[in-house]
Amino acid sequence: MRQDKEETSVNLSRRLLLTVAGAGGAGLALGALGHSAYAGQVSEPAPSDQIPFYGEHQAGIITESQDRMHIAAFDLQTEDRQELIELLHEWTQAISEMTQGQEIGEGGALAGSYDAPPTDTGEALGLPASRLTVTIGFGRSLFLDGETPRFGLAGKLPEALIELPHFRGDMIEAQRSYGDIIVQACADDPQVAVHAIRNLARLAFGTANVRWSQIGFGRTSKTTAQQSTPRNLFGFKDGTENIVAEDSKALEQNVWATKESTDQSWMVGGSYLVARRIRMHIETWDRSTLGEQENVVGRIKGSGAPLSGGEEFTAPDFAMPGRGGPIIPKDSHVAVVHPSAHGGARMLRRGFNYTDGSDGLGRLDAGLFFIAFVNDARTHFVPIQRAMSANDAMNEYLRHTSSGLYAVPPGISEGQYLGQQLFESA
Amino acid sequence: MRQDKEETSVNLSRRLLLTVAGAGGAGLALGALGHSAYAGQVSEPAPSDQIPFYGEHQAGIITESQDRMHIAAFDLQTEDRQELIELLHEWTQAISEMTQGQEIGEGGALAGSYDAPPTDTGEALGLPASRLTVTIGFGRSLFLDGETPRFGLAGKLPEALIELPHFRGDMIEAQRSYGDIIVQACADDPQVAVHAIRNLARLAFGTANVRWSQIGFGRTSKTTAQQSTPRNLFGFKDGTENIVAEDSKALEQNVWATKESTDQSWMVGGSYLVARRIRMHIETWDRSTLGEQENVVGRIKGSGAPLSGGEEFTAPDFAMPGRGGPIIPKDSHVAVVHPSAHGGARMLRRGFNYTDGSDGLGRLDAGLFFIAFVNDARTHFVPIQRAMSANDAMNEYLRHTSSGLYAVPPGISEGQYLGQQLFESA
């Protein structure tokens, strides 16, 4: 059946696939099921609904950010290198199918036999690809258990894959942090992103367990020239100075690992993903004045313009005098983290807002799930986070509750598996 | 400024409002901010993007279900009747504004003065109304503290607002259950739904605290004739037999409280909201065969047709013989809960899928946040849930972790406040 599908309908959407399977699926008592059961219920996805999976870099980094995210970290339950490679093979195949809007495996959710579980869990049947991207990365713990190499990866740990230090004020919860492998699924439909993580978790059964996972519901960064800057849960535009996909030079200097910037050849074309769950004390924030809020951020709430004037994309003038000091306060967020204060280092931010119910004290548990891609966290994240934790007026309203750093291998071409460069590099 | 806004721009979207406020807001150093900062970034909402707030019934019950939900229960921190009424007044005003895509209060997120917190938290600035509906209901604990009436509501407790019984297998967590007031916010954009709950929580500060809240990301029921039936996290179509908005007769018989069906005149035109957080053991489900899954549900996974044949909306034939019994097993979900087994009683279901990260045991914490509207839980929910908890083969894959029942007062007209009928009834 898989062969049939591949020969006749490589790019069929889940909806068409369902109809084909219904009409021809062996052993299914579908009876009178015909096209009429589906016709006209879901509009055919445009080609723009699919993000190519294969390429020089993994998708989901410079892809225009989708609206929803489900990200999960996995811990390996095996120490067998071959089992790990086999898992990466299976994930690669499944991701390739799902990003085309297909069910995974032979028969998908409508498996060919009553005697086996379906190969797909089915909750995305009838939904378009929804610009799904799935991006994977490797945590330091995949390479080392203490000082002992794992999976025959001695000598393959990139120097840049450090243990992130403790920052002032950090309240890191280990059960929300770290992990051997990170899997970031982004899509415009949350059910599609959840379906992806769930099915990858299912394929991993017996080999790797979900360590933590997080749902994000609103992107927080402008990631392409055309995308408008969204607002975070402080109500401010977030990501005005983000690196956009069109800025190849900034990507080369700040995001992609290159022959020059990495000590590990397998990382060339890859990047590093920094994940931080940042709870916002929104009740406190909401009781602060507009003046306080704008002084904390260093920008106008409405327009996003710096307090030194202009419009959103006007460069801040940190020297412009105000009452009793610069008009953009020295401890404002924009002053503390601005690239001009960090040797020009910039990040590609790609975070999401989150709300995880309430905290038992009558407050919403909400904030920013910060995600950034950089070519070296030692130069592009740690100093900036250190400055922020020491000096940023925004700290009063934030609490970092998770932390993670992952080496994101480069993209692959058809026939390869995700991470192959790591396992086959000299 | 509020007066200006009301006189000149009653139906302005948040985007336009932002521009107007930017151009004319007193005391804001917006400088060169003009239309260009926003032009073309967000498309103008169509009128269909706004759901009318005023009406015979509250919106969010027979409204075609939106894609996302944020629902929260509040506990009053006061015993003062007047404070409670004042809160309902403020909420009514805010809901009326937000459902029109406006910020709440004078000045919204761009308050008129630097010396006060903005009256709106701002994260929905620039977003359209997104079909936002906000629906409120009253828990039994609003009327009674033990046997003692609260808020002067002696004699106003509807008989139908019972304490839901314990059902076999229930593992109810009190901190996710009950509450004095329920607020259900639904929208096609989760940031709009979250913004609504957050701003209502903010208005309640000092008067009522959030007891629990839940995010749902995928609707699970067909609620209008034109809407297709979505899939739950079991991968099955859910809500095939749901009451749809067009079926006035079924609504009259099953959903709306009427003079005949209620002992409380203030409830006429209202309904009862049942909320149950139902965790699905999806890992176990995913390892069961397609045959087992279809026997548990009593329907074909692909089409949603009953196992007795036909298409999704074909009536099940519970007498049709199969191997060793009816072809639709007696303990299948459809056989156990079907209206024909419960004197014709039906619910209007309006639930959402949820995924709340993972559970520390390597499993996703995911399932169905069940919401149903009925005119009497004693006849339209309790017997069905009792039968399900006793006989339904699906129980093996479910765990009910929360419970709540709320009296949803009727809709209001302009000038009234939500719940006014309760406080002013004889």
Side-chain angles (χ1 to χ4, degrees):
Chain A
M1 181 149 168
R2 159 128 235 108
Q3 280 309 108
D4 288 357
K5 192 178 82 182
E6 287 189 337
E7 282 166 25
T8 60
S9 57
V10 170
N11 275 314
L12 284 184
S13 72
R14 266 185 289 256
R15 180 167 78 83
L16 284 176
L17 195 63
L18 177 59
T19 312
V20 170
L28 286 180
L30 289 178
L33 170 64
H35 290 244
S36 64
Y38 306 98
Q41 294 188 352
V42 178
S43 60
E44 205 49 9
S48 65
D49 194 65
Q50 292 179 20
I51 305 292
F53 169 56
Y54 298 106
E56 182 186 359
H57 310 295
Q58 286 192 62
I61 303 172
I62 60 167
T63 306
E64 179 166 296
S65 59
Q66 300 93 328
D67 289 342
R68 319 286 174 246
M69 172 201 68
H70 192 188
I71 189 168
F74 290 82
D75 281 340
L76 272 296
Q77 304 300 305
T78 178
E79 294 298 328
D80 186 294
R81 178 184 169 103
Q82 220 32 60
E83 274 189 66
L84 168 55
I85 291 174
E86 183 52 37
L87 175 65
L88 293 169
H89 264 295
E90 289 184 37
W91 277 4
T92 301
Q93 173 68 24
I95 294 168
S96 143
E97 290 165 339
M98 292 189 292
T99 51
Q100 293 175 67
Q102 296 174 13
E103 302 297 289
I104 69 168
E106 302 188 27
L110 310 174
S113 153
Y114 270 103
D115 302 326
T119 57
D120 186 287
T121 57
E123 72 270 25
L125 268 173
L127 301 178
S130 308
R131 303 205 306 121
L132 174 70
T133 57
V134 180
T135 315
I136 73 155
F138 302 130
R140 187 177 166 92
S141 60
L142 188 82
F143 297 83
L144 284 179
D145 178 7
E147 300 291 310
T148 314
R150 300 178 73 188
F151 304 108
L153 294 174
K156 299 294 180 66
L157 177 73
E159 280 178 16
L161 190 56
I162 57 171
E163 282 188 62
L164 288 179
H166 173 87
F167 298 100
R168 195 167 140 182
D170 271 6
M171 298 185 68
I172 304 302
E173 302 167 26
Q175 73 278 16
R176 295 184 188 276
S177 303
Y178 323 123
D180 295 341
I181 306 184
I182 192 83
V183 182
Q184 172 199 261
C186 300
D188 287 335
D189 184 327
Q191 187 131 335
V192 169
V194 167
H195 171 264
I197 293 294
R198 174 190 183 175
N199 280 272
L200 297 180
R202 188 170 173 239
L203 287 173
F205 179 72
T207 308
N209 271 356
V210 174
R211 180 184 173 93
W212 57 262
S213 87
Q214 178 74 45
I215 296 269
F217 65 81
R219 62 188 174 80
T220 64
S221 286
K222 171 181 170 70
T223 57
T224 61
Q226 67 176 56
Q227 202 168 28
S228 61
T229 312
R231 288 179 188 273
N232 62 24
L233 293 184
F234 284 151
F236 276 74
K237 293 190 180 190
D238 197 336
T240 296
E241 304 235 21
N242 204 28
I243 298 177
V244 292
E246 293 84 351
D247 191 348
S248 332
K249 195 174 158 202
L251 290 169
E252 210 59 41
Q253 290 172 345
N254 298 280
V255 177
W256 302 128
T258 61
K259 275 182 204 163
E260 293 68 38
S261 73
T262 180
D263 57 318
Q264 291 288 348
S265 63
W266 66 268
M267 271 297 290
V268 173
S271 188
Y272 293 86
L273 186 160
V274 183
R276 308 271 295 182
R277 184 173 181 276
I278 307 177
R279 168 133 185 223
M280 292 173 165
H281 298 303
I282 58 174
E283 290 80 4
T284 316
W285 179 261
D286 289 348
R287 290 198 288 277
S288 65
T289 67
L290 180 62
E292 158 80 359
Q293 292 183 9
E294 294 187 344
N295 279 331
V296 164
V297 176
R299 291 182 177 277
I300 298 289
K301 191 164 192 176
S303 66
L307 293 182
S308 50
E311 302 193 3
E312 182 187 352
F313 297 102
T314 306
D317 179 352
F318 295 111
M320 184 182 286
R323 281 178 301 181
I327 195 165
I328 301 178
K330 281 189 178 171
D331 64 353
S332 67
H333 183 65
V334 68
V336 171
V337 305
H338 198 266
S340 61
H342 298 279
R346 298 171 67 194
M347 312 178 191
L348 189 164
R349 293 186 45 190
R350 212 171 180 286
F352 290 83
N353 297 323
Y354 79 84
T355 303
D356 288 346
S358 40
D359 69 355
L361 297 172
R363 300 178 303 205
L364 293 176
D365 182 358
L368 164 66
F369 197 86
F370 172 97
I371 293 177
F373 292 93
V374 295
N375 62 9
D376 196 330
R378 294 170 298 181
T379 49
H380 283 63
F381 174 73
V382 173
I384 299 157
Q385 182 58 35
R386 195 164 270 151
M388 198 179 150
S389 67
N391 306 318
D392 194 323
M394 197 180 274
N395 283 329
E396 188 183 339
Y397 303 98
L398 300 177
R399 185 196 301 167
H400 288 243
T401 60
S402 88
S403 186
L405 175 65
Y406 311 89
V408 174
I412 56 171
S413 23
E414 223 166 326
Q416 293 187 299
Y417 65 90
L418 285 165
Q420 184 164 346
Q421 299 93 340
L422 167 60
F423 294 94
E424 298 189 357
S425 66
Chain B
M1 182 152 169
R2 158 128 236 108
Q3 281 308 107
D4 288 357
K5 192 179 82 181
E6 288 188 339
E7 282 167 25
T8 60
S9 57
V10 172
N11 276 313
L12 283 185
S13 72
R14 266 183 289 256
R15 180 166 79 81
L16 284 174
L17 195 64
L18 177 58
T19 313
V20 170
L28 286 181
L30 290 179
L33 170 65
H35 290 244
S36 64
Y38 306 97
Q41 294 188 353
V42 179
S43 60
E44 204 51 9
S48 66
D49 194 66
Q50 292 180 20
I51 305 293
F53 170 56
Y54 297 106
E56 181 186 0
H57 310 293
Q58 285 192 61
I61 304 173
I62 61 168
T63 306
E64 178 166 297
S65 60
Q66 300 93 327
D67 289 342
R68 318 286 174 246
M69 173 199 70
H70 192 189
I71 189 168
F74 289 82
D75 281 341
L76 271 297
Q77 305 300 305
T78 178
E79 294 298 327
D80 186 296
R81 178 184 168 105
Q82 219 34 60
E83 275 189 64
L84 167 57
I85 290 173
E86 184 51 39
L87 175 65
L88 292 168
H89 264 294
E90 289 185 36
W91 276 5
T92 301
Q93 173 68 26
I95 295 168
S96 141
E97 290 166 340
M98 292 189 290
T99 53
Q100 293 175 66
Q102 297 174 12
E103 301 298 286
I104 69 168
E106 303 188 26
L110 310 174
S113 154
Y114 270 103
D115 302 326
T119 57
D120 186 287
T121 57
E123 72 270 26
L125 268 174
L127 301 178
S130 307
R131 302 182 56 241
L132 174 69
T133 57
V134 180
T135 315
I136 73 152
F138 302 129
R140 186 179 167 90
S141 59
L142 188 81
F143 297 83
L144 284 178
D145 179 6
E147 300 291 310
T148 313
R150 300 179 73 189
F151 304 108
L153 293 175
K156 297 293 180 64
L157 176 73
E159 282 178 15
L161 191 55
I162 57 172
E163 283 187 61
L164 287 179
H166 173 87
F167 299 100
R168 198 167 138 182
D170 271 5
M171 297 185 69
I172 303 302
E173 302 168 26
Q175 74 277 17
R176 294 186 189 275
S177 303
Y178 324 123
D180 295 342
I181 305 183
I182 192 83
V183 182
Q184 171 199 262
C186 300
D188 288 335
D189 186 326
Q191 187 131 335
V192 170
V194 167
H195 171 264
I197 293 294
R198 174 189 184 176
N199 279 272
L200 297 179
R202 186 169 175 243
L203 287 173
F205 179 73
T207 308
N209 270 356
V210 174
R211 180 183 174 94
W212 58 261
S213 86
Q214 177 75 45
I215 295 269
F217 64 82
R219 61 187 175 80
T220 65
S221 287
K222 171 182 170 67
T223 57
T224 61
Q226 68 177 51
Q227 203 168 27
S228 62
T229 312
R231 290 179 187 272
N232 61 26
L233 293 185
F234 283 152
F236 276 75
K237 293 191 178 188
D238 197 335
T240 295
E241 305 234 20
N242 203 27
I243 298 177
V244 292
E246 294 84 352
D247 191 347
S248 332
K249 196 174 156 199
L251 291 168
E252 210 59 40
Q253 290 172 345
N254 298 280
V255 177
W256 302 128
T258 61
K259 276 181 201 162
E260 293 70 36
S261 74
T262 179
D263 58 318
Q264 291 288 350
S265 62
W266 66 268
M267 271 297 289
V268 173
S271 188
Y272 293 86
L273 185 159
V274 183
R276 307 272 294 181
R277 185 173 181 276
I278 307 178
R279 167 129 187 228
M280 291 174 165
H281 298 303
I282 58 173
E283 290 79 5
T284 317
W285 179 261
D286 289 348
R287 290 198 289 276
S288 64
T289 67
L290 181 61
E292 159 79 359
Q293 292 183 8
E294 294 188 344
N295 279 332
V296 163
V297 176
R299 293 182 176 277
I300 298 289
K301 192 165 192 177
S303 65
L307 293 182
S308 50
E311 302 191 3
E312 181 188 352
F313 298 102
T314 305
D317 178 353
F318 295 111
M320 184 183 285
R323 283 178 301 182
I327 195 166
I328 302 178
K330 281 188 177 172
D331 64 353
S332 68
H333 183 66
V334 68
V336 171
V337 305
H338 198 265
S340 61
H342 298 280
R346 299 171 66 194
M347 311 177 191
L348 189 163
R349 294 184 47 191
R350 211 169 180 290
F352 289 83
N353 297 324
Y354 79 84
T355 303
D356 288 346
S358 40
D359 68 356
L361 298 171
R363 301 177 304 204
L364 293 175
D365 183 357
L368 166 66
F369 197 87
F370 172 97
I371 293 177
F373 291 93
V374 295
N375 61 11
D376 195 330
R378 294 170 298 180
T379 50
H380 283 64
F381 174 73
V382 173
I384 299 157
Q385 182 58 33
R386 195 163 270 150
M388 199 180 149
S389 67
N391 305 317
D392 195 324
M394 197 179 273
N395 283 328
E396 188 183 340
Y397 303 99
L398 300 177
R399 185 195 300 166
H400 288 244
T401 59
S402 88
S403 186
L405 176 65
Y406 311 90
V408 175
I412 56 171
S413 21
E414 222 168 325
Q416 294 187 299
Y417 65 91
L418 284 166
Q420 185 165 346
Q421 299 92 340
L422 167 60
F423 294 93
E424 298 189 355
S425 67

